[in-house]
Amino acid sequence: MPLIDLSSPIDAEFWEPDPIKHEVLSHADGARHVISEMRAHFDLDLPVDVFPDGEFLSNDFLYLSAHTGTHIDAPLHYGSKASYGRPRSIDELPLEWFHGQGVRLDLRAWPIGAVGADALREQLALVRHKLSPGDIVLLHTGAERLLGSPRYFTDFVGLDRSGVDLLLDAGVRVIGTDAFSLDAPFPDMINRYHETGRPEVLWPAHFAGREREYCQIERLGNLGALPSPTGFTVTCFPVKVARSGAGWCRAVAFI
Ligand SMILES: [Zn+2]
C-alpha cells in the first residue's frame, strides 16, 4: 500500500517567529555524558575507551513550540473554557479522530486572507465528494512553497467561521492545512480589524473551537504528491504530550 508523507519537518534552520533550539550531544560527548551520569546516579565506573572509537550514543535536545512542524491543535489551544464543557488537551483525544478518509480541497487560487463556506462547497463539488462524519479535510493552500521563510507566516489563505461550520456540520473533527494557521495570516486579520472595527475577523477559525470541539492540523506538507483529491486515508496521531494544547504529528496518507 503506497504511503505518502504529508508532514513538514521541524528544522532549526528554518525562519520561525519563535526560533527552535536544537542542541546535539555528539557521540563523543555522549560517551563522557553517560560515564558521568553512571557515576553520579549509580556509583558505577566505565572507561571511555570501552566504546568503539570512544563514541557512545548521540542525543538531541530541543526547545520549541508544540506548534512547530506538522502538528495538531487540541481544543484546549483555543481557550481555557468552552461553551460545550471542558476543552480537552491533546493527550485526551480519541485516536479515532486521527485516522479517517481524506479529502484534499484546492485553495491555491485564492489570495491572501480567508475563504468561507462558498469556496469549500465549490471545491467539494469539483472533486465530487460528499463529506461523511470522521472525514479529514486537507486544505491545499500552496503555502508550503514558502516553508522556512518569513513569508510562510504572512502569505496564505485560511478559513473563516462559515468555512469551519460547514465542515463541522458534516461531522468533520479534524481540519488540516499546509499553511502556518487555519485562520488568515495575523497581519491580514489585524488590518481587517482596523479597517472594519469588527473583532469577529480576528481568529474566527480558532475561536470557533470555543463553541465546537474540533482539531486542526497545521503545517502539513507534500499535499501536491497525493495522486487525487479523494481515495486515500489519513493517519495523523499526535504525540502524547500531557496537558498540552497541541502535539506534533507525522501525517501520512495511505493510498
Ligand atoms: Zn497550532
Side-chain angles (χ1 to χ4, degrees), residues 6-237:
L6 300 182
S7 315
S8 63
I10 290 168
D11 189 334
E13 292 178 7
F14 283 178
W15 189 92
E16 293 278 343
D18 299 307
I20 303 167
K21 277 188 222 135
H22 181 179
E23 287 170 13
V24 178
L25 186 74
S26 71
H27 301 85
D29 286 340
R32 286 184 280 276
H33 183 70
V34 73
I35 288 166
S36 75
E37 293 274 287
M38 289 303 107
R39 202 170 286 146
H41 299 305
F42 304 109
D43 199 23
L44 289 171
D45 262 320
L46 262 183
V48 73
D49 57 12
V50 78
F51 299 120
D53 300 323
E55 294 197 339
F56 185 54
L57 309 175
S58 71
N59 204 341
D60 297 83
F61 295 90
L62 291 134
Y63 178 82
L64 76 170
S65 160
H67 300 263
T68 318
T70 303
H71 67 276
I72 310 267
D73 283 0
L76 177 60
H77 177 53
Y78 311 134
S80 66
K81 45 193 178 301
S83 59
Y84 58 80
R86 185 180 69 84
R88 289 189 276 185
S89 53
I90 197 70
D91 52 319
E92 297 179 304
L93 298 167
L95 289 179
E96 288 76 12
W97 284 25
F98 306 107
H99 179 77
Q101 178 175 230
V103 53
R104 180 189 62 190
L105 301 180
D106 188 356
L107 299 183
R108 287 175 299 169
W110 268 268
I112 294 169
V115 298
D118 288 345
L120 297 187
R121 264 188 222 105
E122 194 180 296
Q123 289 305 310
L124 285 162
L126 212 62
V127 303
R128 295 193 185 85
H129 185 75
K130 191 178 174 322
L131 289 168
S132 309
D135 278 4
I136 297 177
V137 175
L138 310 176
L139 305 180
H140 190 196
T141 74
E144 187 194 16
R145 72 190 187 287
L146 302 170
L147 193 64
S149 77
R151 283 181 60 206
Y152 183 61
F153 301 89
T154 55
D155 294 15
F156 60 86
V157 66
L159 270 195
D160 71 14
R161 178 65 197 253
S162 71
V164 173
D165 283 337
L166 175 102
L167 299 178
L168 301 190
D169 287 347
V172 171
R173 292 284 205 180
V174 177
I175 307 172
T177 174
D178 60 356
F180 165 64
S181 174
L182 188 62
D183 272 297
F186 291 21
D188 174 73
M189 288 189 292
I190 294 166
N191 284 331
R192 275 188 286 128
Y193 167 68
H194 287 303
E195 281 160 21
T196 63
R198 294 170 54 232
E200 312 88 86
V201 303
L202 297 171
W203 288 273
H206 281 78
F207 291 164
R210 294 179 178 183
E211 289 159 40
R212 312 186 66 176
E213 193 184 36
Y214 84 104
C215 288
Q216 305 172 6
I217 323 172
E218 288 167 328
R219 303 203 195 195
L220 287 162
N222 214 19
L223 294 183
L226 289 164
S228 60
T230 56
F232 60 93
T233 58
V234 174
T235 297
C236 51
F237 298 127

